[in-house]
């Protein structure tokens, strides 16, 4: 199985497991993705995961124009897009019975995975933003969405991160362009992802090491 698809499956399955133990108090907790609650952030992830099914049912664009790194460019983070994203998460959260969240997410990601499995490797899809991308590249963005927002959910729920090794490897590779972090940082994949996405601040020695090595990573919205 392709490692990106394997990471998508592993991370979605892990999130589904976590949802089975949440109650209303958990779902109403605030997250660092303000103003979303846990419930609304889960709805956002679920919707993003399910987009693959409709995209693969639509006609394929003639060629890819955007890769996973450029997908996360500034156009995805304008005030207008952010407002639409926030409103969508809140709207989608109201449409799902909290008790059905695990079942709904499980059904959604498995339908998307089945659609991916049935598609040819070279398939091109068009995103809701109008980007034409190779399917594998868009699937890489879904691993980022589920994995990184999983860190946000774990923080909101006061739980240790549940990021799977498969997803961590895919996300770290995208964030760094496949380049290793400076050896003196001694970062594992989880630490690298937290640091480079701003989930954990860089210490002064870490910043000095990063600057000395000229180490750069993908910044969402840049």
């Amino acid at each position: 199985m392709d490692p990106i698809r394997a990471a998508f499956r592993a991370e979605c399955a892990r999130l589904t497991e976590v949802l089975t133990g949440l109650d209303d108090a958990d779902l109403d907790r605030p997250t660092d993705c303000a103003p979303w609650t846990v419930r609304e952030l889960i709805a956002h992830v679920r919707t993003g995961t399910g987009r693959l099914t409709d995209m693969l049912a639509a006609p394929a664009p003639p060629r890819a124009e955007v890769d996973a790194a450029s997908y996360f460019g500034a156009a995805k983070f304008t005030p207008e897009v952010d407002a639409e994203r926030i409103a969508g998460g809140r709207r989608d959260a109201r449409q799902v019975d909290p008790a059905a969240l695990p079942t709904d997410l499980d059904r959604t990601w498995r339908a998307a995975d089945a659609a991916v499995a049935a598609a040819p490797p070279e398939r091109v899809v068009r995103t809701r933003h109008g980007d034409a991308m190779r399917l594998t590249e868009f699937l890489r963005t879904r691993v980022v969405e589920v994995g990184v927002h999983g860190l946000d959910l774990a923080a909101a729920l006061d739980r240790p991160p549940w990021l799977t090794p498969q997803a961590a490897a895919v996300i770290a590779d995208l964030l760094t362009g496949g380049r290793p972090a400076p050896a003196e940082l001694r970062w594992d994949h989880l630490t690298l992802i937290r640091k480079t996405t701003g989930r954990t601040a860089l210490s002064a020695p870490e910043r000095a090491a990063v600057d000395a090595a000229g180490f750069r990573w993908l910044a969402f919205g840049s």
Side-chain angles (χ1 to χ4, degrees), residues 81-102:
V81 173
D82 280 341
E84 179 185 351
R85 186 182 294 117
I86 290 167
R90 289 180 152 177
R91 180 182 61 250
D92 295 344
R94 293 193 296 269
Q95 295 175 349
V96 178
D97 178 358
L101 271 176

Side-chain angles (χ1 to χ4, degrees), residues 57-73:
R63 63 187 177 278
E65 300 169 351
V66 174
D67 63 11
S70 53
Y71 172 85
F72 289 110

Side-chain angles (χ1 to χ4, degrees), residues 84-165:
E84 179 185 351
R85 186 182 294 117
I86 290 167
R90 289 180 152 177
R91 180 182 61 250
D92 295 344
R94 293 193 296 269
Q95 295 175 349
V96 178
D97 178 358
L101 271 176
T103 302
D104 184 60
L105 177 64
D106 189 68
R107 180 174 57 248
T108 299
W109 80 256
R110 290 185 186 279
D113 181 63
V116 170
E122 68 277 8
R123 177 68 150 90
V124 178
V125 296
R126 191 173 301 283
T127 75
R128 70 185 182 97
H129 300 285
D131 304 305
M133 303 178 66
R134 285 180 61 89
L135 173 59
T136 300
E137 288 295 291
F138 185 73
L139 188 60
R140 195 188 305 266
T141 73
R142 298 307 89 189
V143 176
V144 173
E145 290 279 346
V146 181
V148 174
H149 280 318
L151 298 181
D152 298 325
L153 290 168
L157 294 166
D158 294 323
R159 297 191 182 188
W162 54 74
L163 186 66
T164 62

